[in-house]
Every structure is written in C-alpha cells, then in structure tokens.
C-alpha cells in the first residue's frame, strides 16, 4: 500500500522486535506454557504477593480513575533521589531536581534525542554491539547514527575510532555518546580507560551512561553528574526492581538538563498506578533487591557450567545475563549458526535472544538455569 505522506526515515525503519519469530516455528501461544523467557533480562521473580495486594489496595482506594496523574512526579522523584544518593559515594547527594522520570528509559532516550540532536543539530555515537533502541529511536527522528566497533576479545570500545568520528565527522557533529554500563548484549562494564575517555569529551557533547543493570553490577558513574553538566545516568525499574510491566525509567542529570527533558516530554507520561508501583518498590527495596546476590551467584554458576559442558565461548558478565558465541563450523556463517542454536533452544523451551553476533541468555531462577544448561548441552 502506498502511504506517500510518511517520512522516508519511517518507511525504511524496521520495527523493534523483542521476540524474534520465524514462520516455521510453533507460535509463542503454543509454547507459552512451557517457555522459559530468558530473552529480555527481567528479574525472574514477580513482585511478592503482599506488595501486589498493596498495589491493588491503592488502585481501589487511593487512585481516582477520573483524575489525571501527578504530572510533576514530585513524590516519586524525591524517593528516587534518596535511592540514588544511597548508591553514590558518601559525599555525593542528589535531590528531586536531579531526576527526570520516563515511561521506561526508552522514553528518556527519546527525550534526550529531542532535546539535543533533532532538526539537523547533531548525530549520536554508539559502539556496536550495544542496546539497539538508541539507533532505532534516533532514526525515527531523522538523527544520524555513527557506529564504531569494539574489541573482539573484551568488547572494549574502539576509542581511536570514536575519537576520530568526533574529530572528523562525516556529516553532522556528534552531539551525544550513548554507553551502556555494563553493556548489553556483551555484559562488560566500562573500563577505567573508557570512563577517562568519556570524561575528557568537550562540554558540547552529552555523555549518556545507561546503567539499566546497575543493581547487578554495583558499578556506577553517577557521581560524575555532580561535576559535569554534560553527563547523564539512566536507570530503570524494569530489571532488578521487577516492574517491567509498569514502565518506569529515570535520568540523573544536572537540574538544567532535567528541566530540558521535562519540557520535551508528554505532560502525563506516567500513569498513577505506575508511579505508585515505583514508590512502593523503592519503599521495599531491601526486600526486592535481596535476590540480587542469588542472581549474581546463579550467573557465576551458570557461566562455569556452560564453559565446562558446552562449546559456547562465554564472556565475563557484570549484569544478569550471559553473552556467548557458538563455534562456527568451516564454511558456516556465524549468523546461520546462531539461528540454529536459537531455534534448538526455543524448540526445547528456552527462549534467548540472538543479537550482536551472539546469544544473550538471561539468568533466571535456579530451575530455569538448570534447564538452560541442559538445553544448551543438547544443541
Ligand atoms: C532493559 C534496558 C533498559 C530498560 O528500558 P525500559 O524502557 O526502562 O524498560 C534500558 N537500557 C538498556 C541497555 C536495557 O537493557
């Protein structure tokens, strides 16, 4: 069908597909009952029953359905600022003015792009393989994406190529650099050299450090926000805080930048129940985050078992997922081999993601991880 009114950038774009399906495979509905969903890096545990009941109570008694949500997110931002302060070094302190919240961090990525690059003002720089949403959202807004590579051994960013892309732009100047810490899908945290390189970038380049997996890595650059006006840290409630269904992410930045983000977002971007859920999760953070050490331990055990019992090459991970590559038989392209592993695993009931030249496997419950190992051994 011809839709000549659409922008060419939108027509050419492939939609984000979280679950890769192929026509011959059984449908997700056919598999849903027995499928271990280890493809999107959520926490394997739902909210505890008592918290679900509290949320249901709030929905019934506290939230008037006919009223708009709190469009300023005041209470939520204050609670997030308190949590962020706990995660920073002892002398660092954050207030609600340092926080902006989004309908998932995905919304914040888009707000950052609108506030910086849109309208031919600049390009973004990413280091592949990395989280695909930066590139996808940039392209929907007509913003050019400059991609540099990473070391095949450690997945450290090719800093020489990144510096060259900044010093000698092919088109628009680089305005924003997106880094994930630790990176998805490869699991590596930023090294001291990478952080030092980011810190020396000039003030007209915004540095975005996406710490979606902070609770699993316990590594953060959030202190830099207080020293550098061009530094923003993003985090999410979708992973360790078990609220992926509710859609809450936040940015930590200097108050000037958070004000800019507030200007470009939709006025009521977070439903009342979503704000209540995030506040409840923060109030019960000790209980919710108590499973993080178990997941870290499961990651170590699963990695050791995969290394011992399967031919996958695994890389060290600081997050709640593992990244591995199968050996490629001579003459066989890696992509076909990855698809073969993906399909085998899926047929046995383990859904992983094949992306960025490898398999990304979320660490699940101990029972799920046992099945992951058994299914990998059978490929
Ligand atoms: C999962 C993830 C997010 C979270 O996105 P939400 O929109 O908050 O669910 C952000 N960044 C990265 C790198 C992720 O892997």
């Amino acid at each position: 069908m011809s839709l000549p009114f659409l922008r060419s950038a939108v027509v050419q774009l492939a939609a984000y597909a979280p679950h890769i399906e192929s026509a011959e495979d059984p449908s997700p509905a056919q598999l849903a009952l027995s499928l271990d969903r280890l493809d999107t890096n959520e926490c394997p545990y739902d909210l505890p029953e008592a918290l679900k009941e509290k949320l249901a109570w709030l929905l019934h008694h506290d939230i008037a359905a006919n009223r708009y949500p709190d469009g300023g997110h005041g209470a939520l931002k204050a609670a997030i600022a308190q949590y962020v302060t706990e995660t920073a070094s002892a002398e660092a302190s954050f207030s609600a003015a340092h926080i902006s919240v989004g309908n998932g961090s995905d919304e914040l990525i888009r707000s950052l792009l609108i506030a910086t690059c849109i309208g031919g003002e600049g390009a973004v720089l990413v280091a592949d393989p990395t989280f695909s949403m930066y590139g996808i959202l940039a392209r929907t807004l007509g913003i050019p994406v400059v991609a540099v590579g990473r070391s095949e051994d450690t997945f450290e960013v090719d800093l020489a190529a990144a510096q060259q892309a900044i010093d000698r732009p092919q088109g628009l100047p680089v305005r924003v650099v997106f880094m994930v810490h630790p990176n998805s899908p490869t699991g590596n945290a930023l090294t001291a050299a990478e952080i030092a390189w980011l810190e020396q970038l000039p003030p007209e380049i915004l540095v975005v450090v996406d710490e979606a997996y902070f609770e699993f890595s316990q590594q953060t650059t959030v202190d830099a926000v207080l020293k550098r006006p061009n530094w923003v840290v993003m985090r999410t409630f979708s992973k360790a805080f078990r609220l992926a269904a509710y859609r809450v992410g936040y940015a930590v930045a200097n108050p000037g930048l958070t004000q800019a983000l507030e200007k470009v977002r939709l006025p009521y971007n977070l439903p009342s129940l979503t704000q209540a859920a995030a506040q409840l999760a923060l109030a019960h953070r000790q209980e919710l985050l108590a499973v993080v050490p178990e997941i870290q331990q499961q990651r170590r055990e699963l990695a050791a078992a995969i290394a011992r019992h399967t031919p996958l090459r695994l890389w060290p991970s600081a997050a709640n997922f593992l990244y591995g590559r199968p050996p490629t038989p001579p003459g066989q392209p890696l992509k076909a081999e990855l698809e073969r592993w993906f399909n085998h695993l899926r047929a046995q009931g383990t859904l992983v993601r094949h992306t960025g030249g490898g398999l990304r496997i979320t660490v699940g419950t101990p029972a799920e991880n046992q099945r992951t190992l058994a299914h990998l051994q059978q490929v």
Side-chain angles (χ1 to χ4, degrees), residues 40-41 102-107 109 130-131 134 180-184 210-213 234-239 244 247-250 321 360:
T40 39
N41 296 344
N103 195 282
S105 0
D106 293 340
E107 187 198 6
I109 297 168
T130 195
F131 189 46
Y134 312 125
V180 196
H181 179 48
N183 190 42
S184 174
D210 185 339
E211 298 184 355
Y213 300 98
M234 287 196 306
R235 294 192 191 153
T236 179
F237 284 80
S238 299
K239 306 284 157 64
R247 313 299 304 126
V248 200
Y250 59 94
F321 55 83
R360 193 192 65 190

Side-chain angles (χ1 to χ4, degrees), residues 86-109:
E86 281 169 29
T87 67
S89 68
E91 61 281 2
S93 173
F94 297 84
S95 72
H98 292 105
I99 310 295
S100 186
V101 295
N103 195 282
S105 0
D106 293 340
E107 187 198 6
L108 291 163
I109 297 168

Side-chain angles (χ1 to χ4, degrees), residues 42-351:
E42 299 106 321
C43 177
Y45 303 109
D46 200 346
L47 280 186
E49 201 56 41
L51 291 195
K52 288 204 155 184
E53 274 166 23
K54 262 192 198 162
L55 261 184
W57 189 92
L58 289 172
L59 182 62
H60 277 124
H61 303 284
D62 210 45
I63 296 173
N66 59 319
R67 297 295 172 197
Y68 282 106
D70 172 3
H73 321 123
L76 176 56
K77 287 199 291 196
I80 291 172
Q82 172 64 38
Y83 170 65
V84 170
T85 300
E86 281 169 29
T87 67
S89 68
E91 61 281 2
S93 173
F94 297 84
S95 72
H98 292 105
I99 310 295
S100 186
V101 295
N103 195 282
S105 0
D106 293 340
E107 187 198 6
L108 291 163
I109 297 168
R110 180 144 67 181
S111 292
L112 285 165
L113 293 168
I114 293 172
T116 54
C117 294
I118 206 171
E121 300 257 333
V124 304
L125 185 126
V126 298
D128 280 334
T130 195
F131 189 46
S132 61
M133 284 311 293
Y134 312 125
I136 292 171
L137 291 172
R139 288 186 194 99
T140 65
L141 298 170
I143 295 167
V145 180
V146 181
V148 298
R150 293 171 179 268
S151 147
E152 281 288 301
D153 261 339
T154 61
F155 291 113
E156 276 181 71
V157 177
D158 183 344
L159 294 179
Q163 190 63 51
Q164 171 142 1
I166 287 170
D167 291 342
R168 267 168 283 163
Q170 299 297 313
L172 294 172
V174 171
R175 273 277 164 272
V176 184
V177 174
F178 282 103
M179 291 286 158
V180 196
H181 179 48
N183 190 42
S184 174
T186 51
N188 52 308
L190 288 172
T191 61
E194 289 171 315
I195 292 173
W197 180 79
L198 292 168
E199 284 174 344
Q200 58 80 51
L201 289 173
E204 65 272 17
I205 296 181
L206 179 66
V207 176
V208 182
V209 181
D210 185 339
E211 298 184 355
Y213 300 98
F214 160 70
E215 284 79 11
F216 301 106
S217 75
Q218 290 299 314
Q219 299 184 49
T220 181
T221 65
V222 79
D223 276 21
V225 165
L226 299 177
K227 292 175 219 138
R228 299 171 191 281
N230 66 333
W231 198 282
V232 51
V233 166
M234 287 196 306
R235 294 192 191 153
T236 179
F237 284 80
S238 299
K239 306 284 157 64
F241 276 103
R242 317 188 195 180
L243 290 182
Y246 285 86
R247 313 299 304 126
V248 200
Y250 59 94
V252 190
N254 78 84
L257 178 53
T258 57
Q259 273 166 29
L261 294 176
E262 299 288 290
K263 277 192 224 170
V264 300
R265 70 170 167 84
L266 296 177
Y268 299 109
N269 57 340
L270 253 67
S272 300
L273 187 61
T274 291
Q275 296 188 47
Q279 282 174 251
L280 198 66
L282 280 173
H284 292 83
R285 56 184 173 272
Q286 280 207 315
E287 179 187 355
L288 294 181
L289 299 181
V291 299
V292 166
E294 176 204 297
I295 293 169
Q296 291 166 326
Q297 180 61 22
Q298 284 288 309
R299 175 186 74 211
R300 286 188 281 270
E301 288 176 18
L302 181 61
I306 289 174
R308 204 172 324 122
H309 298 296
T310 83
L312 276 192
R313 175 179 178 195
L314 275 192
W315 276 263
S317 169
N320 66 331
F321 55 83
L322 295 171
Y323 176 85
R325 264 184 205 167
T328 41
Q332 184 79 340
L334 173 64
K335 189 157 186 293
E337 194 57 11
L338 285 171
E339 259 161 43
R340 192 175 74 78
W341 279 70
F342 171 84
N343 286 328
H344 258 276
L345 290 169
R346 190 176 188 275
Q348 296 175 88
T350 295
L351 186 64

